[in-house]
Structure formats: C-alpha cells, structure tokens
Amino acid sequence: MEGPEHTRQAKTADELAAMIREDLRKVEGCPERGVNVTVYGIPWNAMLMFDTAAGTVPNKAELQRFFEIIKERLQRLYDVSVQDSRD
C-alpha cells in the first residue's frame, strides 16, 4: 500500500542552482568563487563546473559527490518552474 502522493514545490532554475551552490559552500574546501551550477530541462537536471576563478580545487571529486547528493535530494522535493522570460 502506497502513501499519499507528495506534491513537489516549484522553483525556478536559478533558485535551484542557488540552493545547490549554498549547500556546496558549506563543504570545507569549496572555493568561494568560480563554482557554477546550471539547472536545465524538464524534468530538471543540473551540472557543476569550476571556472578559473575557483583556482586549484584539490577536493573536486568530493565536491562532485556532494553535488550529486544535493541534486538528487532537491529533485525529489522540487520541480523546475517554467517562467516566461518577458516577466
């Protein structure tokens, strides 16, 4: 027997990316700059990139693992909302 369906909240792609970046910044060794998160698609997915402003990231693999955990958690909780770019 299944429980009642959980309605997921809608967030914009920018809101979701900001949530992911905020959680990553709590990880020791995460660069303060140069961490880029892109949220795309419906159902949504996300991509993590480090640009030159991040410098050398010795714990890049660890940050990628945390990114995947954070992304999967948020995918269960939130749908991406489609906003009209003319708003």
Side-chain angles (χ1 to χ4, degrees):
M1 185 173 181
E2 293 182 41
E5 286 189 33
H6 175 71
T7 303
R8 295 188 297 186
Q9 240 184 333
K11 297 277 187 189
T12 66
D14 288 341
E15 289 172 321
L16 290 165
M19 292 169 72
I20 294 169
R21 276 192 306 275
E22 182 64 29
D23 281 349
L24 281 175
R25 286 193 176 110
K26 295 175 186 173
V27 177
E28 186 176 333
C30 183
E32 292 183 23
R33 295 175 290 142
V35 178
N36 298 305
V37 176
T38 303
V39 173
Y40 57 91
I42 299 175
W44 69 273
N45 204 345
M47 178 174 49
L48 174 64
M49 294 179 295
F50 299 95
D51 68 24
T52 56
T56 302
V57 184
N59 64 338
K60 189 174 182 178
E62 178 184 9
L63 289 168
Q64 184 67 41
R65 282 191 301 275
F66 279 112
F67 167 77
E68 292 297 330
I69 292 167
I70 295 164
K71 178 185 72 168
E72 289 170 8
R73 175 179 47 93
L74 293 177
Q75 285 173 326
R76 288 190 302 269
L77 298 172
Y78 300 102
D79 285 322
V80 69
S81 64
V82 180
Q83 284 193 321
D84 189 336
S85 61
R86 295 174 293 203
D87 287 350

